[in-house]
Every structure is written in C-alpha cells, then in structure tokens.
Amino acid sequence: MNETPVDPEQELARLRRAAEKAGLHADIDPARHGLAFPSADDLLAGHDGPSEVDVARRRRHRRRRVLAAVVSSVAAVSVFELGVFQPWQPDGAAASTVPILSYEYASAKQIATAPGKDARETLRSLSETAAEQVEPVRRGPVQYTVSDNFFLSATVGGDEEPEVIPTLLQRWLTSDGAQRSVEKVDDPLDDSGRGLSRPGGWDSLPVKGDVTQPAGEIDAAALDRLPTDRAKLRTALLELTGCASRDRPDRPLCLYVHILELHNIYVVPARVDAAFWSLMAETGAYRLLGDVKDRAGRTGLGISLFPESSPSYRVVLIVDPATGRLLGAEDILIKDDVAAKITAPAITSFTAFLTARWVRSAS
C-alpha cells in the first residue's frame, strides 16, 4: 500500500468522514444504535474495535462481495460498515458549516419545516428518464469517479471557526477489485455555498492522501452482473443493498444510503439509478423540493426525506432532471444539537458527484 503521511488531526478527520459516508450523521446519538459510551474518549475509542452491529454488517456484505475502500491514513474503512461520530467541541467553539441551498419549494430559511410536494410522480418520471439513457462507450477497464465532499468537524482549540474547505476525492477501481483513492484540498466555497471544482479544475489541487487498496477488496463487476430486465433488476438491487424487506421502517433511508454508497464506488449505470428512483417512489416517503442549483452550479431537482430513525435530520438527493442521474446529496440538521453547539438548520455533510466514466488506467 502506498501512503502519503498525514498528521493526527487529518487522520481523525478521515475516520469521521468514513463514518459519515456510512450514512451516519454528525449529531448521532450512540444509544440510537444500541451503543453506550460514557465519555467522548470512549466514543472515539469505538473506532478501534468492531461493534456487534459492525460484525453483522460485515458478515452480510461479505456474502454479497460488495466492499468499498474509503481513504484513511491508517486503514481502509468500508462505507458499508457502521461507524460512530460525534463532533465534540472541547473548547466551546461552534462547529463551522456551509450555506444551505434554497430550493423551489423550500427556501434555506424554511428548509426545516417546508413540506415540499409529494415526490412519487417526479421519481417515476426520473426513473423513466434514466432508463432511456444510452451508456457512453467504455474507454477502458477502470472505473474512475470524482466527488467533492464536506463533512462537519469540530473546532479544536481557540474560538476561531476554521475556513470551510471541501475535500475532493478521486477514485480508480480496477477490474481485479483494487482501488486507488486520492484526496485533494479543494478551493473554499463562495458565499452562496457553491463553487466546487469543475472537470479539469482539480488537477493542480494539493494532495492530502494517496492510498491504494489491494486487489480483491471490491467486487468491481457487481453492478454489471445485475439483471437488465427492469423488474428483476429492482429485486436484485433490493437484495444487494439489504433494503429488501417492505416492512422495515427505515427502507426509505436504506435506499438513500445505498444509492450514495454505490455512486461513491462505481460508475453507476443509468438503469441502476432508474431502479432506485422507482423503488423510492414506491415508499411514498420522499418529498419534492423542486429546482435547485447544486454546489457545482448545475441544475437539479431536490428530492428530500425526513428519516424516521433520524428525526433531527432532513436528507436531500439532487438529481439531474434531464438525465435522471444522481448529482449529489445533502444532510441537513433540522433540530439544534446542544451538545455539539450546532444551531439548526445546518448542513452537516454534502457530496457532489462530479465525474464518473471508464478509463484506461488508474492514474
């Protein structure tokens, strides 16, 4: 494994980001997941060994052979594994966050309470649009993806809030299941919360980490093996993600988490996005927020969810209405987090998917 050394604060930030990419949130209550940590030190120590939930999830996903490598200076953390993160504020400083986007049916100020509209018809329409897309010609055997991310972190020492700077992540997944991940420091966002790098704009950004996971870590062909028949694909996708049970109360959130996970690993075929939108429409849980310009300035539609298991949050998917492809996602705290000194509403994380294509090599 090739590594670029990082300092301890970067190491801790990476572990926190890995937990966020597992679908967890910055204000997470350990008790909600059956965990009990009497102190912040004990909570963070939970990263050193697997919980019972971790073990169960590893066992289940090992059977499915769909693993994901996440950049870390000390370990590869699967985004399918459960982590725990709390942005402790030891010196009383408030956490720094980014401006909330305004949507057609929900302004930034109203994001915590605006109901939006029933999203079922829009999701069905997006499913049809995605299903009609023609996949571009593959230029090589390597899946190359680029995302830009922000994850809320603590201010350590002093009263100054740190500058909000997103992290750009480039990934190359080879056919043998090896993955190279390069983290770069992106330019700060502008006052509107936008300004992410566009394709070609990240080549000269400073590198924070460069890690290569060995062959066999990821099933690179997992999505290629999914059925082409739309009905069979939906069934197979539910099984792959573990969202199969119609009765599970968190099925809408399960679908949200796993569409992000797959886009973080693979060049996701449009037919897979189409299946996700169809499955989400069936839940009846999603709300349409309408038109929005995403963090990269692209036109999208906001599709939101108030997760039953995370009542302090509203999560949002941003979708390209012209193609039905996923552009990104936002996690929004809608209830104050007193312990972390975060006043709602506040963005605790966002991900913008900037590039996904097949290339010749992992470089």
Side-chain angles (χ1 to χ4, degrees):
M1 187 190 307
N2 301 320
E3 297 182 3
T4 299
V6 294
D7 63 32
E9 288 186 10
Q10 288 178 320
E11 176 180 317
L12 181 56
R14 293 176 199 280
L15 290 172
R16 285 170 168 162
R17 287 196 292 271
E20 288 281 355
K21 289 177 183 177
L24 299 177
H25 303 292
D27 75 332
I28 194 161
D29 178 3
R32 196 170 71 213
H33 293 276
L35 303 171
F37 296 100
S39 70
D41 289 338
D42 288 337
L43 176 60
L44 293 176
H47 285 294
D48 296 333
S51 69
E52 292 180 7
V53 180
D54 287 330
V55 173
R57 289 172 67 90
R58 288 194 191 103
R59 187 179 300 120
R60 186 181 71 210
H61 290 289
R62 202 157 41 228
R63 287 198 298 268
R64 295 193 184 102
R65 297 183 64 244
V66 182
L67 303 175
V70 175
V71 171
S72 169
S73 61
V74 293
V77 183
S78 168
V79 298
F80 284 123
E81 294 174 7
L82 185 62
V84 179
F85 164 54
Q86 173 70 34
W88 303 104
Q89 306 285 332
D91 296 295
S96 180
T97 186
V98 301
I100 297 169
L101 300 177
S102 283
Y103 300 82
E104 182 180 7
Y105 306 130
S107 69
K109 291 182 178 180
Q110 298 173 323
I111 195 66
T113 57
K117 299 184 177 182
D118 190 316
R120 282 176 288 189
E121 284 305 314
T122 299
L123 284 166
R124 293 187 187 108
S125 177
L126 289 171
S127 178
E128 292 301 319
T129 298
E132 293 170 357
Q133 300 304 303
V134 177
E135 296 294 339
V137 175
R138 296 184 179 184
R139 300 298 182 184
V142 178
Q143 299 180 62
Y144 173 60
T145 59
V146 180
S147 63
D148 224 320
N149 310 271
F150 165 78
F151 302 96
L152 189 65
S153 60
T155 304
V156 180
D159 296 324
E160 249 183 70
E161 289 194 3
E163 191 173 27
V164 175
I165 301 177
T167 296
L168 186 130
L169 181 58
Q170 296 172 281
R171 289 192 180 101
W172 293 263
L173 174 60
T174 56
S175 57
D176 61 0
Q179 185 180 62
R180 180 187 177 203
S181 301
V182 175
E183 274 196 23
K184 294 183 175 181
V185 180
D186 203 353
D187 295 327
L189 297 175
D190 62 26
D191 291 341
S192 73
R194 298 179 176 86
L196 295 182
S197 292
R198 303 303 293 268
W202 49 70
D203 294 341
S204 60
L205 294 176
V207 175
K208 292 173 62 177
D210 187 340
V211 177
T212 298
Q213 299 303 128
E217 289 292 312
I218 299 171
D219 183 356
L223 300 189
D224 279 346
R225 288 197 303 272
L226 290 172
T228 55
D229 177 82
R230 294 178 68 175
K232 292 180 179 178
L233 171 58
R234 285 159 40 91
T235 301
L237 192 59
L238 286 174
E239 184 62 30
L240 176 70
T241 59
C243 304
S245 173
R246 289 178 178 273
D247 299 325
R248 60 181 296 172
D250 63 341
R251 185 174 183 184
L253 181 59
C254 181
L255 292 169
Y256 170 85
V257 167
H258 283 85
I259 192 172
L260 295 182
E261 288 177 342
L262 294 183
H263 275 269
N264 270 307
I265 307 165
Y266 299 101
V267 175
V268 177
R271 62 191 177 89
V272 173
D273 277 342
F276 267 110
W277 306 142
S278 177
L279 291 166
M280 289 178 183
E282 279 189 355
T283 70
Y286 289 85
R287 307 297 297 177
L288 175 65
L289 297 185
D291 295 340
V292 66
K293 291 289 185 182
D294 79 346
R295 303 287 174 182
R298 301 170 296 185
T299 298
L301 282 177
I303 306 289
S304 78
L305 173 70
F306 292 102
E308 291 186 13
S309 58
S310 301
S312 294
Y313 273 84
R314 181 174 210 167
V315 297
V316 182
L317 294 165
I318 300 178
V319 188
D320 185 341
T323 64
R325 305 307 304 268
L326 180 64
L327 296 179
E330 312 246 329
D331 286 4
I332 308 170
L333 182 74
I334 58 173
K335 295 181 181 179
D336 291 350
D337 186 327
V338 178
K341 303 186 187 305
I342 306 173
T343 301
I347 298 291
T348 59
S349 72
F350 71 70
T351 296
F353 300 109
L354 303 179
T355 289
R357 65 180 187 269
W358 292 76
V359 298
R360 291 187 176 86
S361 63
S363 62

